[in-house]
Amino acid sequence: MPQDTNGYSVLSKSTVFQMRCPVVITKDPVALVARVGVLTPLSWSNFQSGSCTNIPWDSFIPQLSTVKAATEPTMALNVPGLVVMALFYVLILATGIWASMRSKKEEKKCKGDGMEITLLAGRNINLLVGIFTLTATWVGGGFILGIAEAVYNPTLGLVWALMPVPYVLTFFLGGFFFAKPMRENKYLTMMDPFQIKYGNVLSSALIFPALVADVLWVARTLVSLGKRPHTGSVVVVVVAVEDLAPWRQRRCDSGLAHRGTMSVILDLSYVYSIIISSVVAIVYTLLGGLYSVAYTDVIQLILIFVSLYVCVPFMMTNPNSVDITLTAFNETFQAPWVGKLEAQDAGKWIDDFMVLALGGLAYQAFYQRILAASSYTQAQVTCFASSAFCLVLGIPSILIGAVAASTDWNTTSYGSPSPYERGQAGSILPIALQYLTPAYISIIGIGAVAAAVMSSMDSALLSSASMFSSNIYKNIIRKQASDREMQWVIRISVVVVGLAGTALTFLDNSVLVFWLVGVDMSYTIMFPQLVCVLFFKVSNGYGASVGYILGMALRVMSGEPLIGLPPAIHFPGCRPDSEGKMTQYFPFRTTIMLMSLVSIVLVSWLASIIFNKGLLSERWDVFKINRRQAKAAEAAAALQEQKKKDPAGVKLLDTTSC
């Protein structure tokens, strides 16, 4: 940051808008300190030395007569918008209650147990409903807001808006390769093959990162609705001229907390936005399980599609924006919104793409929909159709980001500086809805975001509840638990995960970067484990343990600038980013994933040789690999025998229990 001869940092007006706390401006710092000194230990010497002491805002303002606050204008509560949102929540809750009643009727008709009805809808979910619920799980608040943010952000652009395309690869790989072994063995959760092959101890360790990722998924999804405002402190800015330019201050931490969708459009309190959405999602999820989640996803996905495509024409024809084709490759109000990919950033781009494409294959929410289909063919069709829907639903967010990048914000009621200069690029979609469309259209747009948030949140709730109730409680803690007891365990799990995720949103927003770490863990740790347990017969507990520890250790030592963790390992191309933090630009996560996969296979093969050839006595075989391999062979033989009796089952294996 440039400094003048007196050592003060020279700030532009836009930089001050990026501060987390309110800003007080005065031309008389001595008088200011004299008044503040009565209230706080702040002194002129401290101020000169750059010690920006936090000052209570409420007690500070009344005592200053020559003070101007550089804060955003206040808004009135949007009553019509609140009414529309209330109707939306009532509709979703009513759909969830209806679906729960349907699940009870199906439970009476089905031969399967209550857990199968609750977690997998009796393995008999309708094809169209299956497509909608799988699509809605992936098209969440982060999907809609993240694409718009990437396209609008002048440092990124369309080339970095990766989400729609990798998801196509996710669904095709899942449909072609992963769905079949999961369905043939009639697994209840993604963790069942681990528990069968590796035992309870190791599988419990593998479940932990999956559960943590789901809890953080809930938190990150809810934050799309609103951001906790920073309160309780003030930054003193000393100015030299009447027009406040340039503004001066001592170096201080800065960065504006993004305002969420409801905060921007409805001016609704952060607390109310989060709690209302969380309660509604928790209630209908625990009432009807996957039935409630799936049928509410149908309503939510229709609302997402209609709302976004209704808003786009109004936004593209607003008088404050120019034709997006003119700004795609030409700098107008900011850098071209298509963006560019530098050769030095190619490794990071490839890494991000692979994380999004393959990381999703290690999520229980994906397999919950696959296992709920009535046949393998239906599961495949569900995957392929959902990939197309993801592409279609990504288009509106791309257009909204492009329009925002093509807008002269100074001519709008939002004013200058632009959202990017104020540090609000993450909220560009609700900001664009609020300032570039009529009021009634912006209300429709917020429905799309709210629907996307809830469609992802309920999936995360049921996903984590499935793994805990089935793989930990039923298989380890209480193997003799009755159906009724398991139903209550599932409900309690849903509530606990929902409350935990909701609680995280009230902590400092930086905590939510662990959501990104959770995605990393799914890719670098869980994905190679899943590939090996499903497709490599040689894999065993020894290889899985080494791969788990190696993947975790390498990921931690690679560093993570989002949580301030410096890298201990510097891969090729590691260099400081724009904020001076050391960042890996090499595809290091993909490298770690491959190293973990190779180590699992190699160590498993060596362990098999050691115990099969009698180089070590079986009493040293902690994971009992010979016994487990024998059981796996028996299960495979039984499956082949079943296929011989029912040849049609080879092509169309119906695993429904209804």
Side-chain angles (χ1 to χ4, degrees):
M1 186 178 293
Q3 295 186 345
D4 63 9
T5 55
N6 296 319
Y8 290 102
S9 300
V10 181
L11 277 73
S12 65
K13 190 173 182 178
S14 62
T15 305
V16 176
F17 270 100
Q18 296 181 41
M19 296 178 185
R20 288 179 179 158
C21 43
V23 178
V24 170
I25 304 165
T26 179
K27 293 184 292 182
D28 191 352
V30 178
L32 175 66
V33 173
R35 297 184 185 188
V36 177
V38 178
L39 300 172
T40 70
L42 177 66
S43 65
W44 177 241
S45 59
N46 288 338
F47 187 77
Q48 277 190 314
S49 65
S51 177
C52 296
T53 305
N54 287 341
I55 307 165
W57 179 251
D58 293 336
S59 60
F60 182 65
I61 284 294
Q63 301 196 35
L64 295 177
S65 57
T66 59
V67 168
K68 178 177 180 179
T71 56
E72 297 184 60
T74 57
M75 294 171 55
L77 196 64
N78 189 336
V79 176
L82 288 176
V83 172
V84 172
M85 290 307 301
L87 292 175
F88 163 72
Y89 282 124
V90 170
L91 174 63
I92 293 300
L93 189 57
T95 304
I97 294 173
W98 171 82
S100 69
M101 295 170 62
R102 176 185 170 89
S103 70
K104 291 178 181 178
K105 293 180 181 179
E106 293 294 328
E107 188 173 355
K108 295 178 181 178
K109 296 188 298 182
C110 291
K111 300 176 183 177
D113 58 24
M115 279 188 65
E116 198 169 69
I117 302 297
T118 302
L119 302 181
L120 300 179
R123 300 185 192 268
N124 194 31
I125 201 163
N126 179 275
L127 173 61
L128 187 61
V129 174
I131 293 171
F132 273 64
T133 186
L134 182 57
T135 305
T137 300
W138 258 248
V139 181
F143 179 93
I144 292 175
L145 297 177
I147 293 175
E149 176 187 0
V151 174
Y152 166 71
N153 193 321
T155 65
L156 298 175
L158 179 62
V159 295
W160 289 93
L162 297 172
M163 275 182 278
V165 179
Y167 290 172
V168 174
L169 184 59
T170 299
F171 291 136
F172 269 83
L173 289 175
F176 276 121
F177 300 106
F178 289 83
K180 188 174 183 179
M182 282 288 186
R183 291 191 53 80
E184 282 185 340
N185 293 282
K186 298 184 180 182
Y187 293 134
L188 196 62
T189 73
M190 176 186 76
M191 301 307 299
D192 283 356
F194 293 98
Q195 209 150 25
I196 293 170
K197 197 167 188 178
Y198 300 154
N200 290 334
V201 176
L202 181 55
S203 63
S204 298
L206 291 170
I207 288 173
F208 177 74
L211 290 175
V212 171
D214 278 341
V215 173
L216 294 173
W217 185 5
V218 172
R220 179 66 183 87
T221 302
L222 284 172
V223 168
S224 302
L225 294 174
K227 294 280 187 175
R228 182 177 62 82
H230 185 94
T231 58
S233 63
V234 63
V235 169
V236 178
V237 179
V238 183
V239 297
V241 292
E242 186 63 30
D243 63 357
L244 308 180
W247 292 353
R248 303 169 180 221
Q249 74 160 136
R250 279 291 182 180
R251 183 177 178 86
C252 223
D253 290 336
S254 64
L256 179 67
H258 299 211
R259 298 183 66 196
T261 306
M262 289 192 175
S263 304
V264 172
I265 298 177
L266 301 183
D267 198 37
L268 185 64
S269 165
Y270 173 82
V271 176
Y272 293 145
S273 302
I274 299 300
I275 291 180
I276 293 172
S277 300
S278 178
V279 168
V280 172
I282 290 173
V283 168
Y284 73 69
T285 302
L286 63 86
L287 282 177
L290 186 58
Y291 268 115
S292 291
V293 170
Y295 281 98
T296 53
D297 280 348
V298 173
I299 303 295
Q300 290 158 355
L301 195 65
I302 292 173
L303 183 60
I304 293 169
F305 180 86
V306 174
S307 299
L308 288 178
Y309 274 97
V310 165
C311 293
V312 166
F314 288 91
M315 199 170 295
M316 296 187 71
T317 56
N318 87 88
N320 302 302
S321 304
V322 300
D323 190 338
I324 62 174
T325 59
L326 300 176
T327 58
F329 299 98
N330 302 300
E331 184 166 346
T332 307
F333 304 111
Q334 61 177 57
W337 58 264
V338 169
K340 58 183 178 180
L341 180 61
E342 302 286 354
Q344 60 183 0
D345 298 331
K348 190 175 188 303
W349 188 94
I350 293 171
D351 212 26
D352 290 346
F353 185 95
M354 297 302 292
V355 168
L356 290 172
L358 302 182
L361 290 170
Y363 270 99
Q364 161 65 12
F366 174 75
Y367 296 102
Q368 201 146 23
R369 275 82 187 152
I370 297 302
L371 294 170
S374 62
S375 68
Y376 171 51
T377 300
Q378 180 178 322
Q380 283 190 315
V381 173
T382 299
C383 290
F384 303 152
S386 297
S387 66
F389 272 105
C390 282
L391 286 177
V392 171
L393 289 167
I395 294 174
S397 292
I398 292 174
L399 295 175
I400 291 172
V403 170
S406 309
T407 298
D408 182 1
W409 290 98
N410 194 39
T411 61
T412 68
S413 56
Y414 182 85
S416 183
S418 69
Y420 174 74
E421 292 174 309
R422 298 191 195 193
Q424 294 182 319
S427 299
I428 193 59
L429 189 142
I431 289 173
L433 289 173
Q434 174 70 8
Y435 294 98
L436 302 181
T437 64
Y440 64 92
I441 294 297
S442 65
I443 293 172
I444 295 174
I446 193 179
V449 179
V453 165
M454 296 181 70
S455 67
S456 290
M457 178 181 174
D458 56 20
S459 300
L461 291 175
L462 194 61
S463 169
S464 51
S466 301
M467 290 186 289
F468 175 80
S469 59
S470 176
N471 298 107
I472 295 180
Y473 192 87
K474 177 72 173 177
N475 291 347
I476 299 177
I477 299 176
R478 273 183 59 83
K479 296 182 179 180
Q480 73 277 17
S482 65
D483 266 2
R484 181 178 177 82
E485 181 180 346
M486 290 310 304
Q487 290 295 318
W488 279 105
V489 172
I490 294 170
R491 291 168 185 162
I492 293 172
S493 302
V494 168
V495 174
V496 170
V497 172
L499 292 178
T502 304
L504 285 178
T505 65
F506 295 100
L507 300 177
D508 191 283
N509 289 340
S510 62
V511 171
L512 299 173
V513 301
F514 282 103
W515 177 78
L516 298 175
V517 177
V519 176
D520 278 6
M521 292 174 67
S522 296
Y523 178 57
T524 57
I525 299 173
M526 290 304 300
F527 177 72
Q529 295 283 354
L530 189 64
V531 169
C532 289
V533 79
L534 291 179
F535 303 109
F536 289 88
K537 293 182 179 179
V538 72
S539 66
N540 53 50
Y542 299 101
S545 300
V546 172
Y548 183 83
I549 296 171
L550 179 66
M552 184 77 75
L554 288 175
R555 184 62 192 91
V556 171
M557 290 190 292
S558 297
E560 180 51 66
L562 291 173
I563 58 174
L565 181 65
I569 300 175
H570 288 225
F571 288 90
C574 183
R575 63 181 187 274
D577 61 9
S578 58
E579 297 179 357
K581 298 177 180 178
M582 292 300 295
T583 304
Q584 307 279 9
Y585 286 86
F586 184 79
F588 72 102
R589 289 170 294 187
T590 300
T591 302
I592 294 172
M593 183 273 290
L594 292 174
M595 292 176 66
S596 179
L597 191 149
V598 170
S599 67
I600 295 171
V601 175
L602 183 60
V603 174
S604 295
W605 176 70
L606 290 174
S608 296
I609 291 177
I610 290 173
F611 289 108
N612 288 338
K613 292 186 177 296
L615 300 178
L616 274 180
S617 172
E618 281 196 18
R619 65 191 182 91
W620 294 101
D621 187 3
V622 177
F623 290 104
K624 310 296 180 185
I625 59 176
N626 287 333
R627 188 185 307 171
R628 295 189 186 281
Q629 286 174 350
K631 287 184 178 180
E634 290 176 6
L639 184 61
Q640 291 298 323
E641 186 65 26
Q642 180 183 354
K643 287 183 178 181
K644 289 179 182 178
K645 292 179 181 179
D646 181 18
V650 177
K651 291 184 178 179
L652 181 62
L653 180 62
D654 189 352
T655 58
T656 179
S657 57
C658 297

